[in-house]
Amino acid sequence: MASQYNFKGIADASPAEGLAGKPHGNHSLTRQPSVYSLTFDEFQNTWGGLGKDLGSMNMDELLKNIWTAEETQAMTSSTGAGDGSLPEGNIQRQGSLTLPRTLSQKTVDEVWKDLLKESTVAKDGNKGGGFNMPQKQPTLGEITLEEFLLRAGVVREDAQQVGIPNNSGFVGDFPLLSNSTGLGLNFQHPSQNNGFVVNQVAENSKSIPGQPHNLAFNVGSIRSNQQQLQQQHDLPLLPKPATMPFASSISIANNSQLPGLGSRGAVGMTDVSIKSSLVQGGGLQTSVGMAGTQWIRLHSHPYLIHSPRGRKPGSALEKVVERRQRRMIKNRESAARSRARKQAYTLELEAEVQKLKELNQELQRKQEELMETQKSQILERVNRQWGGKRICLRRTLTGPW
Amino acid sequence: MSDPLVVGRVIGDVIDCFATSVTMTVTYNSNKHVFNGHELFPSSVTTKPRVEVHGGDMRSFFTLVMTDPDVPGPSDPYLREHLHWMVTDIPGTTDATFGKEVVEYEMPRPNIGIHRFVFILFKQKKRDMVRGPSSRDRFNTRQFVEDNELGLPVAAVYFNAQRETAARRR
C-alpha cells in the first residue's frame, strides 16, 4: 500500500539520522538479515529445532523462539560489535518485554485469524478495498515475522484497550505539533510522525517525563497508537493517570507508531519512530538502525537506562521498570561475588592441599631417615657390647662323668 | 588469576598487587587457622587472634592492619572500610603481642551479607613512625599507607564472615 511503501522508504532513509542521534554506537547496521525479515516459513525452517509448529505456539513461545534465534544470530554475526552490551543485553532482555495479557495466551494461529478479519475490516475503512494490503501475503507462512508482530500487536491492542490510560512515560522532550491528521500522514516525515505521536501523548498524558526510557518509550508509543486509533474512530481520548498495570502496557508493539499499514506498532514502524525520537531525545542509547532489525536491542541496555540528565520523577510505571532493573543488576553483582568467593575458596584449598602434601612428604622422608639412624645406632650399641664375639658359642660347663 | 587475594578482590578493593615476602599466620583460639576465603563464625573470632610474623629479623618492624571493606554490606559498601585492629612496631620473627596495639581489636559483627575481613602486614621503615588513625570508620587502607610511608604490603590474608544465624549453603 502506499502508506506502507512510504514507510519503508522512510525507514531506509532515516538510519543515518537515527545513527547520528544515538550515543551508543554499538550496533553495526551492517548486521543483516534480521530475524524479523524472515517469513514464518523461513523462520521455522531455519531456526527449526523449535520442535513445534509455529502456528500452534503461544505468542509467548513465539517471542521466546524469536529471541533465541536473534540471539544466536547476533552471537554469530556480531563479534566485536557486540562488546559488553551484547552478552548483557541477551540476559537483560528477558525481564523487559511481556506481551499484553490479551495477546500472550493466544496461539499464533488464532492471532493470525483475527488479524485477517480485522485487517479486512480496517481495509474497508481505509481503502475501500476488501482484502489485505498487497505486500502482506495472505498466508501465515508467507508473512514476515516483522509484519506479523506488527499487526498482531496493534490490532490486539486496539480491540481491547479503548479505555486504557495513557502512558505518560514517553521519551524525550519532543516538540508538540498540532498536526493530528489521519494515520496516513504519519509517514510523510519522520519528525512529523514523531511530533504527531508525541503530540498525542502529550495531549493525553498527564506527565511526560523528560527522561528517555526504553521501556517507557515503548509503552508510550503504544499509548499513542491507541490514541491515534481512537481518534480515527472518533473515540474520546481519556487522559488517565499512568498507573496502568505494567504487564498490560508493555508489548512487543512497543515502539508502535505509524499505522500506515492500518495497523500500529510493530517492529518496523517502531524503529522509525524510535529513531526520530532518539534523535530528539538524545539521551536514549541504542537507536534502531533498520526497520525491524534491532528493536530488541532497545531493551538490551538496562544498565544505561538512566540518562545523564538524572532521574526525573516519572510515572509509576517507569519507577517499577527502574526498580526491576536495579534489582536485576544487584542480583547479578551478588551472583558474581558469590562465584568469586567460591573460586577463591577453591584456589586456597588447592594451594593448601599442595602445601600439605609437600609437608607430608617431607615429614615422611625425615621419619625414614630417623628410623634409619635409630636402627644403625642400636646395631652399633649391640656390637660394642659384645665386641664381635657374640656369635661364638662356648662351652661353659661340662657334664659330670 | 590464581591468587585467592585477587579472585576475592582483596587486591583491588583494599590494597594493590604485591609480592608476598613474609609468611604471616593468623590463628584464632589456637586451632582456627585463617585461610584465604574460608568462612569463620563470628563466635569464633570474638577475641584477637595470634598473628605470627615468620620473616624479617629482630630489627625490622611490622604493622598489622585488620579491616572490613564490605561495610555495611557487600552489595553497597558505602561505608568502606571499617578498621577492626591495628598493631604497630611488631618485631620480626615474633607475633603481634610484641607490638603496640594502636587500635584495639574489635570483634567482627557482619550484619548484612558476607563480609571479608582482611589482615594486612606492612614493613615499617623504622620503629615508631606509624600514627594510628583518628577513627575506625571510613578507613582507607591505601590512604593510610601513603600517610605513613608504608609502601606495598608484605603479606595479607582474609576470611569471610556473615551473621551467625544467616542461612548458609541453601
Coordinates of all heavy atoms in Angstrom, one line a residue, chain A residues 216-284:
Chain A
A216 N 9.7 2.7 28.9 CA 8.6 3.7 29.0 C 8.3 4.2 27.6 O 7.2 4.4 27.2 CB 9.1 4.8 29.9
F217 N 9.3 4.3 26.8 CA 9.2 4.8 25.5 C 8.2 3.9 24.7 O 7.3 4.3 24.1 CB 10.5 4.9 24.8 CG 10.4 5.2 23.4 CD1 9.9 6.4 22.9 CD2 10.8 4.2 22.4 CE1 9.9 6.6 21.6 CE2 10.7 4.5 21.1 CZ 10.2 5.7 20.6
N218 N 8.5 2.6 24.9 CA 7.7 1.7 24.2 C 6.3 1.8 24.6 O 5.4 1.8 23.8 CB 8.2 0.3 24.5 CG 9.7 0.1 23.9 OD1 10.0 0.8 23.0 ND2 10.4 -0.7 24.6
V219 N 6.1 1.9 25.8 CA 4.8 1.9 26.3 C 4.1 3.1 25.8 O 3.0 3.1 25.3 CB 4.8 1.9 27.9 CG1 3.3 2.0 28.3 CG2 5.5 0.7 28.4
G220 N 4.8 4.2 25.9 CA 4.2 5.5 25.4 C 3.8 5.4 24.0 O 2.7 5.9 23.6
S221 N 4.6 4.7 23.2 CA 4.2 4.7 21.8 C 3.0 3.8 21.7 O 2.1 4.1 20.8 CB 5.3 4.1 21.0 OG 5.8 2.9 21.6
I222 N 2.8 2.9 22.5 CA 1.6 2.1 22.4 C 0.4 2.9 22.7 O -0.6 2.9 22.0 CB 1.6 0.9 23.4 CG1 2.7 -0.1 22.9 CG2 0.3 0.3 23.4 CD1 2.7 -1.3 23.8
R223 N 0.6 3.6 23.8 CA -0.5 4.5 24.2 C -0.8 5.4 23.0 O -2.0 5.7 22.7 CB 0.0 5.4 25.3 CG 0.2 4.6 26.6 CD -1.0 3.9 27.0 NE -0.6 2.5 27.4 CZ -1.1 1.4 26.9 NH1 -1.9 1.5 25.9 NH2 -0.7 0.3 27.3
S224 N 0.2 6.0 22.5 CA -0.1 7.0 21.4 C -0.8 6.3 20.3 O -1.7 6.8 19.7 CB 1.2 7.6 21.0 OG 2.0 6.6 20.4
N225 N -0.4 5.1 20.0 CA -1.1 4.4 19.0 C -2.6 4.3 19.3 O -3.4 4.5 18.4 CB -0.5 2.9 18.9 CG 0.7 3.0 18.1 OD1 0.9 3.9 17.3 ND2 1.6 2.1 18.4
Q226 N -2.8 3.9 20.5 CA -4.2 3.7 20.8 C -4.9 5.0 20.6 O -6.0 5.1 20.1 CB -4.3 3.3 22.3 CG -3.8 1.9 22.5 CD -3.6 1.7 23.9 OE1 -3.9 2.5 24.7 NE2 -3.2 0.5 24.2
Q227 N -4.3 6.0 21.0 CA -4.9 7.3 20.9 C -5.2 7.6 19.4 O -6.2 8.0 19.1 CB -4.1 8.4 21.4 CG -3.9 8.2 22.9 CD -2.7 9.0 23.3 OE1 -2.4 10.0 22.7 NE2 -2.0 8.6 24.4
Q228 N -4.2 7.3 18.7 CA -4.4 7.6 17.3 C -5.5 6.8 16.7 O -6.4 7.4 16.0 CB -3.1 7.2 16.5 CG -1.9 8.1 16.8 CD -0.7 7.5 16.3 OE1 -0.7 6.6 15.5 NE2 0.4 8.1 16.6
L229 N -5.6 5.6 17.0 CA -6.6 4.8 16.5 C -7.9 5.3 17.0 O -8.9 5.4 16.3 CB -6.4 3.3 17.0 CG -6.0 2.4 15.8 CD1 -6.2 1.0 16.3 CD2 -6.9 2.7 14.6
Q230 N -7.9 5.6 18.3 CA -9.2 6.1 18.8 C -9.6 7.3 18.2 O -10.8 7.5 17.9 CB -9.0 6.3 20.3 CG -8.8 5.0 21.1 CD -8.4 5.2 22.5 OE1 -8.1 6.4 22.9 NE2 -8.2 4.2 23.2
Q231 N -8.7 8.1 17.9 CA -9.0 9.4 17.2 C -9.7 9.0 15.8 O -10.6 9.6 15.4 CB -7.8 10.2 17.0 CG -7.5 11.0 18.2 CD -6.5 12.1 17.9 OE1 -5.9 12.1 16.8 NE2 -6.2 12.9 18.9
Q232 N -9.0 8.1 15.3 CA -9.5 7.7 13.9 C -11.0 7.3 14.0 O -11.8 7.6 13.2 CB -8.7 6.5 13.4 CG -7.9 6.9 12.2 CD -7.4 5.6 11.5 OE1 -7.5 4.5 12.1 NE2 -6.9 5.8 10.4
H233 N -11.2 6.6 15.1 CA -12.6 6.1 15.2 C -13.5 7.1 16.0 O -14.5 6.7 16.5 CB -12.6 4.7 15.8 CG -11.8 3.8 15.0 ND1 -11.4 2.5 15.5 CD2 -11.3 3.9 13.8 CE1 -10.7 1.9 14.6 NE2 -10.6 2.7 13.5
D234 N -12.9 8.2 16.2 CA -13.7 9.2 16.9 C -14.1 8.8 18.3 O -15.2 9.1 18.8 CB -15.0 9.5 16.1 CG -14.7 10.4 14.9 OD1 -13.7 11.1 15.0 OD2 -15.3 10.2 13.9
L235 N -13.2 8.1 18.9 CA -13.5 7.8 20.3 C -12.9 8.9 21.2 O -11.8 9.4 20.9 CB -12.9 6.4 20.7 CG -13.6 5.3 20.0 CD1 -12.8 4.0 20.3 CD2 -15.0 5.1 20.5
P236 N -13.5 9.2 22.3 CA -12.9 10.2 23.1 C -11.6 9.7 23.8 O -11.6 8.6 24.2 CB -14.0 10.4 24.2 CG -14.8 9.2 24.2 CD -14.7 8.6 22.8
L237 N -10.7 10.6 23.8 CA -9.5 10.2 24.4 C -9.5 10.6 25.9 O -9.7 11.7 26.2 CB -8.3 10.9 23.7 CG -8.0 10.3 22.4 CD1 -7.0 11.2 21.7 CD2 -7.3 8.9 22.6
L238 N -9.4 9.6 26.7 CA -9.4 9.9 28.1 C -8.0 9.9 28.7 O -7.4 8.9 28.8 CB -10.3 8.9 28.8 CG -11.7 8.7 28.2 CD1 -12.3 7.5 28.8 CD2 -12.5 9.9 28.4
P239 N -7.6 11.0 29.0 CA -6.3 11.0 29.7 C -6.5 10.4 31.1 O -7.3 10.9 31.8 CB -5.9 12.5 29.9 CG -7.1 13.3 29.6 CD -8.1 12.4 28.9
K240 N -5.7 9.4 31.3 CA -5.8 8.7 32.6 C -4.5 8.7 33.3 O -3.5 8.8 32.6 CB -6.3 7.3 32.4 CG -7.8 7.3 32.0 CD -8.4 5.9 32.2 CE -9.8 5.9 31.7 NZ -10.3 4.5 31.6
P241 N -4.5 8.6 34.5 CA -3.2 8.6 35.2 C -2.4 7.4 34.8 O -3.0 6.3 34.6 CB -3.6 8.5 36.7 CG -5.0 8.1 36.7 CD -5.6 8.6 35.4
A242 N -1.2 7.6 34.7 CA -0.4 6.5 34.1 C -0.1 5.4 35.2 O 1.1 5.2 35.6 CB 0.9 7.0 33.5
T243 N -1.1 4.9 35.7 CA -0.8 3.8 36.7 C -1.3 2.5 36.2 O -1.7 1.7 37.0 CB -1.6 4.2 38.0 OG1 -3.0 4.4 37.6 CG2 -1.0 5.4 38.6
M244 N -1.3 2.4 35.0 CA -1.8 1.1 34.5 C -0.9 0.0 34.9 O 0.3 0.2 35.1 CB -1.9 1.2 33.0 CG -0.6 1.4 32.4 SD -0.8 1.8 30.7 CE 0.4 3.1 30.6
P245 N -1.4 -1.2 34.9 CA -0.5 -2.3 35.3 C 0.6 -2.5 34.3 O 0.4 -2.3 33.1 CB -1.5 -3.5 35.2 CG -2.7 -3.0 34.5 CD -2.8 -1.6 34.7
F246 N 1.7 -2.8 34.8 CA 2.9 -2.8 34.0 C 2.7 -3.9 32.9 O 3.0 -3.7 31.7 CB 4.0 -3.2 34.8 CG 5.3 -3.3 34.1 CD1 5.8 -2.2 33.5 CD2 6.0 -4.5 34.0 CE1 7.0 -2.2 32.8 CE2 7.2 -4.5 33.3 CZ 7.7 -3.4 32.7
A247 N 2.2 -5.0 33.2 CA 2.1 -6.1 32.2 C 1.4 -5.7 31.0 O 1.7 -6.0 29.9 CB 1.5 -7.3 32.9
S248 N 0.3 -5.0 31.2 CA -0.5 -4.8 30.1 C 0.0 -3.7 29.2 O -0.4 -3.5 28.0 CB -1.9 -4.4 30.5 OG -1.9 -3.2 31.2
S249 N 0.9 -2.9 29.7 CA 1.4 -1.8 28.9 C 2.5 -2.1 28.0 O 2.8 -1.5 27.0 CB 1.7 -0.6 29.8 OG 2.6 -1.1 30.7
I250 N 3.3 -3.1 28.4 CA 4.5 -3.4 27.6 C 4.1 -4.5 26.6 O 3.6 -5.5 27.0 CB 5.6 -3.9 28.4 CG1 5.9 -2.9 29.5 CG2 6.8 -4.2 27.6 CD1 6.7 -1.8 29.0
S251 N 4.4 -4.3 25.4 CA 4.1 -5.4 24.5 C 5.1 -5.3 23.4 O 5.9 -4.3 23.3 CB 2.7 -5.2 23.9 OG 2.8 -4.3 22.9
I252 N 5.1 -6.2 22.6 CA 6.1 -6.2 21.5 C 5.9 -5.0 20.7 O 6.8 -4.5 20.0 CB 6.0 -7.4 20.6 CG1 4.7 -8.1 20.8 CG2 7.2 -8.3 20.8 CD1 4.5 -9.1 19.8
A253 N 4.7 -4.6 20.6 CA 4.4 -3.5 19.7 C 4.9 -2.2 20.4 O 4.3 -1.1 20.1 CB 2.9 -3.4 19.4
N254 N 5.8 -2.3 21.2 CA 6.3 -1.1 21.9 C 6.4 0.1 21.1 O 6.0 1.2 21.5 CB 7.8 -1.3 22.2 CG 7.9 -2.4 23.1 OD1 7.0 -2.5 23.8 ND2 9.0 -3.0 23.1
N255 N 7.2 0.0 20.1 CA 7.5 1.2 19.5 C 6.5 1.5 18.5 O 6.8 2.3 17.6 CB 8.9 1.0 18.9 CG 9.7 0.5 20.0 OD1 9.8 1.0 21.0 ND2 10.4 -0.6 19.7
S256 N 5.4 1.0 18.6 CA 4.5 1.1 17.5 C 4.1 2.6 17.3 O 4.0 3.3 18.3 CB 3.2 0.4 17.9 OG 2.8 0.9 19.1
Q257 N 4.0 2.9 16.2 CA 3.5 4.3 15.9 C 2.8 4.4 14.6 O 1.7 4.8 14.6 CB 4.7 5.2 15.9 CG 5.0 5.3 17.3 CD 5.8 6.5 17.4 OE1 6.1 7.1 16.4 NE2 6.2 6.8 18.6
L258 N 3.5 4.2 13.6 CA 2.9 4.6 12.4 C 2.0 3.6 11.8 O 2.4 2.5 11.4 CB 4.0 4.9 11.4 CG 5.1 5.6 12.3 CD1 6.4 5.6 11.6 CD2 4.6 6.9 12.6
P259 N 0.8 3.8 11.8 CA -0.1 2.9 11.4 C -0.3 2.8 9.9 O -1.3 2.3 9.5 CB -1.4 3.3 12.1 CG -1.2 4.7 12.6 CD 0.2 5.0 12.3
G260 N 0.5 3.3 9.2 CA 0.3 3.3 7.8 C -0.2 2.1 7.2 O -0.9 2.1 6.2
L261 N 0.1 1.0 7.9 CA -0.4 -0.2 7.3 C -1.8 -0.5 7.8 O -2.3 -1.6 7.6 CB 0.5 -1.4 7.8 CG 1.9 -1.1 7.5 CD1 2.8 -2.1 8.2 CD2 2.1 -1.2 6.0
G262 N -2.3 0.4 8.5 CA -3.6 0.1 9.0 C -3.5 -0.5 10.3 O -4.4 -0.8 11.1
S263 N -2.3 -0.8 10.7 CA -2.0 -1.4 12.0 C -1.0 -0.6 12.6 O -0.2 0.1 12.0 CB -1.6 -2.9 11.8 OG -0.5 -2.9 11.0
R264 N -0.9 -0.7 13.9 CA 0.1 0.0 14.5 C 1.2 -0.8 15.1 O 1.1 -2.0 15.3 CB -0.5 0.9 15.6 CG -1.4 1.8 15.1 CD -2.2 2.3 16.2 NE -2.8 1.1 16.7 CZ -3.7 1.2 17.7 NH1 -4.0 2.4 18.1 NH2 -4.3 0.2 18.2
G265 N 2.1 -0.1 15.6 CA 3.1 -0.7 16.4 C 3.7 -1.8 15.8 O 3.1 -2.5 15.1
A266 N 4.8 -2.0 15.9 CA 5.5 -3.2 15.5 C 6.8 -2.8 15.1 O 7.2 -1.7 15.1 CB 4.8 -3.8 14.3
V267 N 7.4 -3.9 14.8 CA 8.8 -3.7 14.6 C 9.2 -2.6 13.7 O 9.9 -1.7 14.1 CB 9.3 -5.0 14.1 CG1 10.8 -5.0 14.1 CG2 8.7 -6.1 14.9
G268 N 8.8 -2.7 12.5 CA 9.4 -1.8 11.5 C 9.1 -0.4 11.9 O 9.9 0.5 12.0
M269 N 7.9 -0.1 12.2 CA 7.5 1.3 12.5 C 8.2 1.7 13.7 O 8.6 2.8 13.8 CB 6.0 1.3 12.8 CG 5.3 0.4 11.8 SD 4.3 1.4 10.9 CE 2.9 0.5 10.9
T270 N 8.2 0.9 14.6 CA 8.8 1.3 15.8 C 10.2 1.9 15.5 O 10.5 2.9 16.1 CB 9.1 0.1 16.6 OG1 8.1 -0.8 16.4 CG2 9.1 0.5 18.0
D271 N 10.8 1.3 14.7 CA 12.2 1.7 14.5 C 12.2 3.1 14.0 O 13.0 3.9 14.5 CB 12.9 0.8 13.5 CG 13.0 -0.6 14.1 OD1 12.9 -0.7 15.3 OD2 13.2 -1.5 13.3
V272 N 11.4 3.4 13.1 CA 11.4 4.8 12.6 C 11.1 5.8 13.7 O 11.8 6.7 13.9 CB 10.3 4.9 11.5 CG1 10.3 6.3 11.0 CG2 10.6 3.9 10.4
S273 N 10.1 5.5 14.4 CA 9.7 6.4 15.4 C 10.8 6.5 16.5 O 11.1 7.6 17.0 CB 8.4 6.1 16.1 OG 8.5 4.7 16.5
I274 N 11.3 5.4 16.8 CA 12.3 5.4 17.8 C 13.5 6.2 17.3 O 14.1 7.0 18.1 CB 12.8 4.0 18.0 CG1 11.7 3.2 18.7 CG2 14.1 4.0 18.9 CD1 12.1 1.8 19.0
K275 N 13.8 6.0 16.1 CA 15.0 6.8 15.6 C 14.8 8.2 15.7 O 15.6 9.0 16.2 CB 15.2 6.4 14.2 CG 16.3 5.3 14.0 CD 16.5 4.9 12.6 CE 15.1 4.4 12.0 NZ 15.3 3.8 10.7
S276 N 13.6 8.7 15.3 CA 13.4 10.1 15.3 C 13.4 10.5 16.8 O 13.9 11.5 17.1 CB 12.1 10.5 14.6 OG 11.4 9.3 14.2
S277 N 12.7 9.8 17.6 CA 12.7 10.2 19.0 C 14.0 10.1 19.6 O 14.4 10.9 20.4 CB 11.7 9.3 19.7 OG 12.1 8.0 19.7
L278 N 14.8 9.2 19.1 CA 16.1 9.1 19.7 C 16.9 10.3 19.3 O 17.7 10.9 20.1 CB 16.8 7.9 19.1 CG 16.4 6.6 19.8 CD1 17.0 5.4 19.2 CD2 16.7 6.7 21.3
V279 N 16.7 10.7 18.1 CA 17.5 11.9 17.7 C 17.1 13.1 18.5 O 18.0 13.8 19.0 CB 17.1 12.2 16.2 CG1 17.8 13.5 15.8 CG2 17.6 11.1 15.3
Q280 N 15.9 13.1 18.8 CA 15.5 14.3 19.6 C 15.7 14.0 21.1 O 16.1 14.9 21.8 CB 14.0 14.5 19.4 CG 13.7 14.8 18.0 CD 12.2 15.0 17.7 OE1 11.5 15.3 18.7 NE2 11.7 14.9 16.5
G281 N 15.5 12.8 21.4 CA 15.6 12.5 22.9 C 17.1 12.7 23.4 O 17.3 13.1 24.4
G282 N 18.0 12.3 22.5 CA 19.3 12.5 22.9 C 19.9 11.5 23.9 O 20.8 10.8 23.6
G283 N 19.2 11.4 24.9 CA 19.8 10.6 26.0 C 19.6 9.1 25.7 O 20.3 8.3 26.3
L284 N 18.7 8.7 24.9 CA 18.5 7.3 24.7 C 19.6 6.7 23.9 O 20.1 7.2 22.9 CB 17.2 7.1 23.9 CG 16.1 6.4 24.6 CD1 15.1 6.0 23.5 CD2 16.5 5.2 25.3

